[in-house]
Amino acid sequence: MRWTDEAVGAGPPTGHGALRHAPPRPGTGRPEPPGTGRALAGAAPGAEPLGGGPALRAAACGYWARRGLATAREQVAAAPGGAPLLLALAAALGGDLLLPRPCPAWWLPQAPLLGRTAHPVATPAECGGVPDPYALWETVRRIRDEGGDPRLLVLAVVDDPTGTAAPPELLHEAVTAATEAGLHVVSDETWRDTVHPVPAGRAPVLAGPAGMLPAEVTVLTDLAGALLPGGWPVAVARFPATDRGAVLHDEVLDVLAGIGAVLAAPVAAAAAHALAEPEEVVAQAVDAARVHGRLAAALHGVLRTAGALALPPCGGRQLYADLGPLGEALAARGVGDAQELEDHLTGLLGFPVPGGHRFGDDPAALRVRLDTAAFLGATAPERTASLTAADPLDVPAVRDAVTMFAAVLDGLRADARRADAQRRERPR
């Protein structure tokens, strides 16, 4: 990983734990809707045209139109996953990248693959996914003073790894700061449709930056987030309806052609079906948001009870925990950084618990991402029961997994209290 001096460390080491190369993306734990499977099975074999065929691009236009973004097919490009599409965007735009810290793990390789530099920018206290506007200005100024060439800011409307959503006013400030600084904005909206249901009046208000400053924002949505299984890689991008947007669209297609990033026709057919949002797709997405939201809230409560820090998640299938307040107890167990914390919790819980260093965070900080799907059960019947229950916490497999997690943290909290009591009893 090629980070600036402002970043601590040089990215995740290889050869450690169960996550040698990259953490798995959060999943739903459930099979695809029947109609989506039929669309895939019924499609002719072969490849789509570069950037996606007419049916897929038309479906993407309808998807964005239902979210208030009128879109023409000429503004759309598709690729086999968000990573190659972001790589093509970064290559076409040139210059260095700015990324909020922490950020999705799949954003991180783009800069070093292109021989560029990725500059981390601090996020505000209340959410992840977007840079603090003042920190963004300062970072851009510093990069240019040092001879760098910042051109691209990537942000997320609903964030991985924190599961939080930026308030519209903060998002507007960040996007305005970026455009005034001469940056193009890529808005990753992969998790936008996974907001957890909450009582009326408490739901986050979601806004996309393309509706705020449409000439300066490209929207990217990886369908493996909310609409398709993770093994069916499809992502779509919406470019600005400007002359520069049209040039960027063509340059991205050139890069996709150069790296052979062409969609398989059956996967494209499944994606077009999902983007049309038939009732079964919408119902499954809504139900998944309910289940994962319930689990995320329960895990957040466990963390806070144990004295750990975590922002309350409102979307996605993940939350981000800071176990720094339990650092002394962890140190007594030989855990002193994010990699060691990852190894320790993965070993205790039996499923991957990636450390914050895999999301561009400080390797010395005791932070991890928790994926709610890991708590749904180890077998297909257990996961089906969890995903169809009125309350997933009533399912034994889920209850046992959450209880085990709570027991691990309770042990750390008890160790921390004992250490504190011993300090108080020492003679001065």
Side-chain angles (χ1 to χ4, degrees), residues 124-174:
E126 61 264 44
C127 67
V130 300
D132 177 88
Y134 298 101
L136 179 62
W137 270 114
E138 177 58 27
T139 302
V140 170
R141 182 199 61 76
R142 175 182 54 77
I143 295 168
R144 288 181 174 145
D145 286 348
E146 295 172 355
D149 184 20
R151 296 191 194 179
L152 171 61
L153 169 68
V154 189
L155 55 78
V157 171
V158 176
D159 180 45
D160 171 20
T162 66
T164 59
E169 60 276 10
L170 194 154
L171 182 63
H172 187 270
E173 290 176 9

Short mmCIF file of all heavy atoms in Angstrom, two decimals, residues 124-174:
data_model
loop_
_atom_site.label_atom_id
_atom_site.label_comp_id
_atom_site.label_asym_id
_atom_site.label_seq_id
_atom_site.Cartn_x
_atom_site.Cartn_y
_atom_site.Cartn_z
N PRO A 124 -15.60 13.03 10.08
CA PRO A 124 -16.18 13.73 11.24
C PRO A 124 -16.54 12.75 12.34
O PRO A 124 -16.62 11.53 12.13
CB PRO A 124 -17.42 14.41 10.67
CG PRO A 124 -17.74 13.66 9.42
CD PRO A 124 -16.44 13.14 8.88
N ALA A 125 -16.80 13.30 13.53
CA ALA A 125 -17.06 12.44 14.69
C ALA A 125 -18.36 11.66 14.56
O ALA A 125 -18.47 10.55 15.08
CB ALA A 125 -17.10 13.29 15.96
N GLU A 126 -19.34 12.19 13.84
CA GLU A 126 -20.67 11.59 13.86
C GLU A 126 -20.90 10.52 12.81
O GLU A 126 -21.94 9.84 12.84
CB GLU A 126 -21.75 12.67 13.73
CG GLU A 126 -21.69 13.47 12.44
CD GLU A 126 -20.94 14.78 12.58
OE1 GLU A 126 -19.86 14.78 13.22
OE2 GLU A 126 -21.44 15.80 12.08
N CYS A 127 -19.98 10.32 11.87
CA CYS A 127 -20.22 9.32 10.83
C CYS A 127 -18.92 9.01 10.12
O CYS A 127 -17.92 9.73 10.24
CB CYS A 127 -21.26 9.81 9.82
SG CYS A 127 -20.69 11.21 8.82
N GLY A 128 -18.95 7.94 9.34
CA GLY A 128 -17.86 7.60 8.44
C GLY A 128 -18.29 7.81 7.01
O GLY A 128 -19.40 8.25 6.73
N GLY A 129 -17.39 7.49 6.08
CA GLY A 129 -17.74 7.51 4.67
C GLY A 129 -17.46 8.81 3.94
O GLY A 129 -17.30 8.80 2.73
N VAL A 130 -17.42 9.93 4.66
CA VAL A 130 -17.16 11.22 4.02
C VAL A 130 -16.04 11.92 4.79
O VAL A 130 -15.89 11.71 6.00
CB VAL A 130 -18.41 12.12 3.98
CG1 VAL A 130 -19.53 11.44 3.21
CG2 VAL A 130 -18.88 12.48 5.37
N PRO A 131 -15.27 12.76 4.13
CA PRO A 131 -14.19 13.47 4.84
C PRO A 131 -14.75 14.65 5.62
O PRO A 131 -15.76 15.25 5.25
CB PRO A 131 -13.29 13.93 3.71
CG PRO A 131 -14.22 14.14 2.55
CD PRO A 131 -15.26 13.06 2.68
N ASP A 132 -14.08 14.99 6.69
CA ASP A 132 -14.36 16.25 7.35
C ASP A 132 -13.97 17.37 6.38
O ASP A 132 -12.87 17.37 5.84
CB ASP A 132 -13.53 16.37 8.63
CG ASP A 132 -13.73 17.70 9.31
OD1 ASP A 132 -14.66 17.81 10.13
OD2 ASP A 132 -12.94 18.63 9.01
N PRO A 133 -14.87 18.33 6.10
CA PRO A 133 -14.57 19.35 5.08
C PRO A 133 -13.29 20.13 5.35
O PRO A 133 -12.52 20.42 4.43
CB PRO A 133 -15.80 20.25 5.11
CG PRO A 133 -16.90 19.38 5.64
CD PRO A 133 -16.24 18.46 6.62
N TYR A 134 -13.04 20.49 6.62
CA TYR A 134 -11.84 21.26 6.93
C TYR A 134 -10.59 20.41 6.77
O TYR A 134 -9.56 20.88 6.28
CB TYR A 134 -11.95 21.82 8.35
CG TYR A 134 -13.12 22.76 8.51
CD1 TYR A 134 -14.31 22.33 9.12
CD2 TYR A 134 -13.06 24.06 8.02
CE1 TYR A 134 -15.39 23.17 9.25
CE2 TYR A 134 -14.16 24.92 8.15
CZ TYR A 134 -15.31 24.47 8.76
OH TYR A 134 -16.38 25.32 8.88
N ALA A 135 -10.68 19.14 7.18
CA ALA A 135 -9.55 18.24 6.99
C ALA A 135 -9.28 18.02 5.50
O ALA A 135 -8.12 17.89 5.08
CB ALA A 135 -9.82 16.91 7.68
N LEU A 136 -10.33 18.00 4.69
CA LEU A 136 -10.16 17.83 3.26
C LEU A 136 -9.40 19.01 2.66
O LEU A 136 -8.44 18.83 1.89
CB LEU A 136 -11.52 17.68 2.58
CG LEU A 136 -11.52 17.53 1.07
CD1 LEU A 136 -10.79 16.26 0.65
CD2 LEU A 136 -12.94 17.53 0.52
N TRP A 137 -9.81 20.23 3.01
CA TRP A 137 -9.12 21.41 2.51
C TRP A 137 -7.64 21.38 2.90
O TRP A 137 -6.76 21.66 2.08
CB TRP A 137 -9.77 22.67 3.07
CG TRP A 137 -10.87 23.24 2.24
CD1 TRP A 137 -12.19 23.31 2.56
CD2 TRP A 137 -10.76 23.84 0.95
NE1 TRP A 137 -12.91 23.89 1.55
CE2 TRP A 137 -12.05 24.24 0.55
CE3 TRP A 137 -9.68 24.07 0.08
CZ2 TRP A 137 -12.30 24.86 -0.68
CZ3 TRP A 137 -9.93 24.69 -1.14
CH2 TRP A 137 -11.23 25.07 -1.50
N GLU A 138 -7.37 21.08 4.15
CA GLU A 138 -6.00 21.06 4.63
C GLU A 138 -5.18 19.98 3.92
O GLU A 138 -4.01 20.20 3.58
CB GLU A 138 -5.97 20.83 6.15
CG GLU A 138 -4.58 20.73 6.76
CD GLU A 138 -3.72 21.96 6.51
OE1 GLU A 138 -4.28 23.06 6.33
OE2 GLU A 138 -2.48 21.81 6.50
N THR A 139 -5.78 18.81 3.70
CA THR A 139 -5.06 17.73 3.02
C THR A 139 -4.74 18.12 1.58
O THR A 139 -3.62 17.88 1.09
CB THR A 139 -5.89 16.45 3.06
OG1 THR A 139 -6.17 16.10 4.42
CG2 THR A 139 -5.14 15.30 2.40
N VAL A 140 -5.70 18.70 0.87
CA VAL A 140 -5.45 19.14 -0.51
C VAL A 140 -4.34 20.18 -0.55
O VAL A 140 -3.44 20.13 -1.40
CB VAL A 140 -6.75 19.67 -1.14
CG1 VAL A 140 -6.46 20.34 -2.48
CG2 VAL A 140 -7.76 18.55 -1.33
N ARG A 141 -4.40 21.15 0.37
CA ARG A 141 -3.38 22.20 0.41
C ARG A 141 -2.00 21.59 0.63
O ARG A 141 -1.03 21.93 -0.06
CB ARG A 141 -3.70 23.21 1.52
CG ARG A 141 -2.70 24.36 1.59
CD ARG A 141 -2.77 25.05 2.93
NE ARG A 141 -2.43 24.15 4.03
CZ ARG A 141 -1.20 23.77 4.32
NH1 ARG A 141 -0.17 24.19 3.58
NH2 ARG A 141 -0.97 22.95 5.32
N ARG A 142 -1.91 20.68 1.58
CA ARG A 142 -0.62 20.06 1.90
C ARG A 142 -0.08 19.26 0.71
O ARG A 142 1.12 19.32 0.38
CB ARG A 142 -0.76 19.16 3.12
CG ARG A 142 0.51 18.39 3.47
CD ARG A 142 0.30 17.48 4.66
NE ARG A 142 -0.83 16.59 4.50
CZ ARG A 142 -0.81 15.49 3.74
NH1 ARG A 142 0.28 15.16 3.07
NH2 ARG A 142 -1.88 14.72 3.66
N ILE A 143 -0.96 18.48 0.06
CA ILE A 143 -0.52 17.66 -1.07
C ILE A 143 0.06 18.55 -2.17
O ILE A 143 1.12 18.27 -2.74
CB ILE A 143 -1.69 16.83 -1.61
CG1 ILE A 143 -2.17 15.81 -0.58
CG2 ILE A 143 -1.29 16.12 -2.90
CD1 ILE A 143 -3.50 15.17 -0.94
N ARG A 144 -0.64 19.64 -2.47
CA ARG A 144 -0.16 20.52 -3.55
C ARG A 144 1.12 21.24 -3.15
O ARG A 144 2.01 21.44 -3.99
CB ARG A 144 -1.27 21.50 -3.92
CG ARG A 144 -2.40 20.78 -4.67
CD ARG A 144 -3.51 21.69 -5.10
NE ARG A 144 -4.47 20.95 -5.93
CZ ARG A 144 -5.77 21.17 -5.93
NH1 ARG A 144 -6.29 22.12 -5.16
NH2 ARG A 144 -6.57 20.45 -6.70
N ASP A 145 1.24 21.62 -1.88
CA ASP A 145 2.47 22.24 -1.42
C ASP A 145 3.66 21.30 -1.57
O ASP A 145 4.80 21.74 -1.78
CB ASP A 145 2.34 22.66 0.06
CG ASP A 145 1.47 23.89 0.23
OD1 ASP A 145 1.15 24.54 -0.78
OD2 ASP A 145 1.10 24.19 1.38
N GLU A 146 3.39 20.00 -1.45
CA GLU A 146 4.46 19.00 -1.55
C GLU A 146 4.66 18.51 -2.98
O GLU A 146 5.43 17.58 -3.21
CB GLU A 146 4.14 17.82 -0.62
CG GLU A 146 4.14 18.19 0.86
CD GLU A 146 3.64 17.07 1.76
OE1 GLU A 146 3.20 16.04 1.20
OE2 GLU A 146 3.68 17.23 2.98
N GLY A 147 3.97 19.14 -3.94
CA GLY A 147 4.14 18.78 -5.34
C GLY A 147 3.22 17.69 -5.84
O GLY A 147 3.39 17.20 -6.96
N GLY A 148 2.25 17.29 -5.04
CA GLY A 148 1.30 16.26 -5.46
C GLY A 148 0.21 16.80 -6.36
O GLY A 148 0.10 18.02 -6.58
N ASP A 149 -0.62 15.91 -6.85
CA ASP A 149 -1.65 16.28 -7.82
C ASP A 149 -2.97 15.59 -7.47
O ASP A 149 -3.38 14.63 -8.12
CB ASP A 149 -1.20 15.87 -9.22
CG ASP A 149 -2.18 16.29 -10.31
OD1 ASP A 149 -2.99 17.20 -10.06
OD2 ASP A 149 -2.14 15.70 -11.42
N PRO A 150 -3.68 16.07 -6.42
CA PRO A 150 -4.95 15.43 -6.04
C PRO A 150 -6.05 15.75 -7.06
O PRO A 150 -6.24 16.90 -7.42
CB PRO A 150 -5.25 16.07 -4.68
CG PRO A 150 -4.59 17.42 -4.74
CD PRO A 150 -3.34 17.21 -5.57
N ARG A 151 -6.76 14.71 -7.49
CA ARG A 151 -7.82 14.92 -8.48
C ARG A 151 -9.13 14.22 -8.14
O ARG A 151 -10.17 14.58 -8.69
CB ARG A 151 -7.36 14.41 -9.86
CG ARG A 151 -6.18 15.16 -10.44
CD ARG A 151 -5.97 14.78 -11.88
NE ARG A 151 -4.68 15.22 -12.39
CZ ARG A 151 -4.25 14.98 -13.62
NH1 ARG A 151 -5.02 14.29 -14.46
NH2 ARG A 151 -3.07 15.40 -14.00
N LEU A 152 -9.09 13.21 -7.30
CA LEU A 152 -10.28 12.37 -7.10
C LEU A 152 -10.53 12.15 -5.62
O LEU A 152 -9.63 11.76 -4.88
CB LEU A 152 -10.08 11.02 -7.80
CG LEU A 152 -11.11 9.91 -7.52
CD1 LEU A 152 -12.50 10.34 -7.96
CD2 LEU A 152 -10.71 8.62 -8.21
N LEU A 153 -11.77 12.41 -5.20
CA LEU A 153 -12.24 12.05 -3.86
C LEU A 153 -13.29 10.96 -4.01
O LEU A 153 -14.24 11.09 -4.78
CB LEU A 153 -12.86 13.26 -3.16
CG LEU A 153 -13.64 12.94 -1.87
CD1 LEU A 153 -12.70 12.48 -0.76
CD2 LEU A 153 -14.45 14.15 -1.40
N VAL A 154 -13.11 9.87 -3.27
CA VAL A 154 -14.12 8.81 -3.21
C VAL A 154 -14.77 8.87 -1.85
O VAL A 154 -14.10 8.97 -0.81
CB VAL A 154 -13.48 7.42 -3.43
CG1 VAL A 154 -14.57 6.36 -3.60
CG2 VAL A 154 -12.57 7.42 -4.65
N LEU A 155 -16.09 8.84 -1.82
CA LEU A 155 -16.83 8.85 -0.56
C LEU A 155 -18.00 7.88 -0.64
O LEU A 155 -18.30 7.33 -1.71
CB LEU A 155 -17.30 10.27 -0.21
CG LEU A 155 -18.13 11.05 -1.24
CD1 LEU A 155 -19.58 10.59 -1.27
CD2 LEU A 155 -18.07 12.55 -0.96
N ALA A 156 -18.64 7.64 0.49
CA ALA A 156 -19.75 6.69 0.55
C ALA A 156 -20.95 7.33 1.24
O ALA A 156 -20.81 7.97 2.28
CB ALA A 156 -19.35 5.42 1.31
N VAL A 157 -22.12 7.14 0.66
CA VAL A 157 -23.35 7.67 1.26
C VAL A 157 -23.73 6.87 2.49
O VAL A 157 -24.10 7.43 3.53
CB VAL A 157 -24.48 7.66 0.21
CG1 VAL A 157 -25.83 8.00 0.85
CG2 VAL A 157 -24.17 8.65 -0.90
N VAL A 158 -23.68 5.54 2.40
CA VAL A 158 -23.78 4.65 3.57
C VAL A 158 -22.46 3.88 3.60
O VAL A 158 -22.07 3.27 2.62
CB VAL A 158 -24.98 3.70 3.47
CG1 VAL A 158 -25.00 2.73 4.65
CG2 VAL A 158 -26.29 4.49 3.43
N ASP A 159 -21.81 3.92 4.74
CA ASP A 159 -20.40 3.57 4.80
C ASP A 159 -20.15 2.12 5.19
O ASP A 159 -20.81 1.55 6.04
CB ASP A 159 -19.73 4.48 5.85
CG ASP A 159 -18.25 4.20 6.02
OD1 ASP A 159 -17.58 4.05 4.99
OD2 ASP A 159 -17.78 4.14 7.17
N ASP A 160 -19.15 1.54 4.52
CA ASP A 160 -18.45 0.36 4.98
C ASP A 160 -17.04 0.88 5.29
O ASP A 160 -16.43 1.50 4.41
CB ASP A 160 -18.41 -0.70 3.89
CG ASP A 160 -17.51 -1.90 4.21
OD1 ASP A 160 -17.20 -2.11 5.38
OD2 ASP A 160 -17.10 -2.60 3.25
N PRO A 161 -16.53 0.74 6.51
CA PRO A 161 -16.90 -0.28 7.48
C PRO A 161 -17.84 0.13 8.61
O PRO A 161 -18.27 -0.71 9.38
CB PRO A 161 -15.54 -0.64 8.09
CG PRO A 161 -14.79 0.65 8.07
CD PRO A 161 -15.20 1.34 6.81
N THR A 162 -18.19 1.42 8.74
CA THR A 162 -18.88 1.84 9.98
C THR A 162 -20.38 1.58 9.98
O THR A 162 -20.99 1.59 11.05
CB THR A 162 -18.64 3.33 10.26
OG1 THR A 162 -19.28 4.12 9.24
CG2 THR A 162 -17.15 3.65 10.29
N GLY A 163 -20.99 1.40 8.81
CA GLY A 163 -22.44 1.22 8.77
C GLY A 163 -23.21 2.49 9.06
O GLY A 163 -24.40 2.42 9.37
N THR A 164 -22.57 3.66 8.95
CA THR A 164 -23.23 4.94 9.24
C THR A 164 -23.54 5.66 7.93
O THR A 164 -23.01 5.35 6.87
CB THR A 164 -22.33 5.82 10.11
OG1 THR A 164 -21.09 6.05 9.44
CG2 THR A 164 -22.06 5.15 11.46
N ALA A 165 -24.42 6.67 8.03
CA ALA A 165 -24.78 7.50 6.89
C ALA A 165 -24.50 8.96 7.22
O ALA A 165 -24.82 9.43 8.31
CB ALA A 165 -26.25 7.32 6.54
N ALA A 166 -23.92 9.67 6.27
CA ALA A 166 -23.61 11.08 6.49
C ALA A 166 -24.89 11.91 6.43
O ALA A 166 -25.69 11.75 5.51
CB ALA A 166 -22.62 11.56 5.44
N PRO A 167 -25.11 12.82 7.38
CA PRO A 167 -26.25 13.74 7.28
C PRO A 167 -26.13 14.58 6.01
O PRO A 167 -25.02 14.92 5.58
CB PRO A 167 -26.10 14.62 8.53
CG PRO A 167 -25.22 13.84 9.46
CD PRO A 167 -24.31 13.03 8.60
N PRO A 168 -27.26 14.93 5.38
CA PRO A 168 -27.20 15.66 4.10
C PRO A 168 -26.39 16.95 4.17
O PRO A 168 -25.65 17.28 3.24
CB PRO A 168 -28.67 15.93 3.79
CG PRO A 168 -29.41 14.84 4.48
CD PRO A 168 -28.64 14.56 5.73
N GLU A 169 -26.52 17.70 5.28
CA GLU A 169 -25.80 18.97 5.35
C GLU A 169 -24.29 18.75 5.40
O GLU A 169 -23.51 19.51 4.79
CB GLU A 169 -26.26 19.78 6.57
CG GLU A 169 -26.07 19.12 7.92
CD GLU A 169 -27.18 18.17 8.32
OE1 GLU A 169 -28.03 17.85 7.45
OE2 GLU A 169 -27.20 17.75 9.49
N LEU A 170 -23.85 17.71 6.09
CA LEU A 170 -22.42 17.42 6.15
C LEU A 170 -21.91 16.92 4.81
O LEU A 170 -20.82 17.29 4.36
CB LEU A 170 -22.14 16.41 7.26
CG LEU A 170 -20.68 16.24 7.70
CD1 LEU A 170 -20.62 15.75 9.14
CD2 LEU A 170 -19.92 15.28 6.81
N LEU A 171 -22.70 16.07 4.17
CA LEU A 171 -22.34 15.57 2.84
C LEU A 171 -22.21 16.73 1.86
O LEU A 171 -21.26 16.79 1.06
CB LEU A 171 -23.40 14.58 2.37
CG LEU A 171 -23.16 13.92 1.02
CD1 LEU A 171 -21.90 13.07 1.04
CD2 LEU A 171 -24.37 13.07 0.62
N HIS A 172 -23.14 17.68 1.93
CA HIS A 172 -23.10 18.84 1.03
C HIS A 172 -21.84 19.66 1.27
O HIS A 172 -21.18 20.11 0.32
CB HIS A 172 -24.35 19.70 1.22
CG HIS A 172 -24.46 20.81 0.22
ND1 HIS A 172 -23.92 22.06 0.44
CD2 HIS A 172 -25.03 20.85 -1.01
CE1 HIS A 172 -24.16 22.83 -0.61
NE2 HIS A 172 -24.83 22.12 -1.50
N GLU A 173 -21.47 19.86 2.53
CA GLU A 173 -20.26 20.61 2.85
C GLU A 173 -19.02 19.91 2.29
O GLU A 173 -18.12 20.56 1.74
CB GLU A 173 -20.12 20.79 4.36
CG GLU A 173 -21.13 21.73 4.97
CD GLU A 173 -21.01 21.79 6.48
OE1 GLU A 173 -20.03 21.23 7.03
OE2 GLU A 173 -21.89 22.39 7.13
N ALA A 174 -18.98 18.59 2.43
CA ALA A 174 -17.82 17.84 1.96
C ALA A 174 -17.71 17.88 0.44
O ALA A 174 -16.63 18.07 -0.12
CB ALA A 174 -17.89 16.39 2.45
#
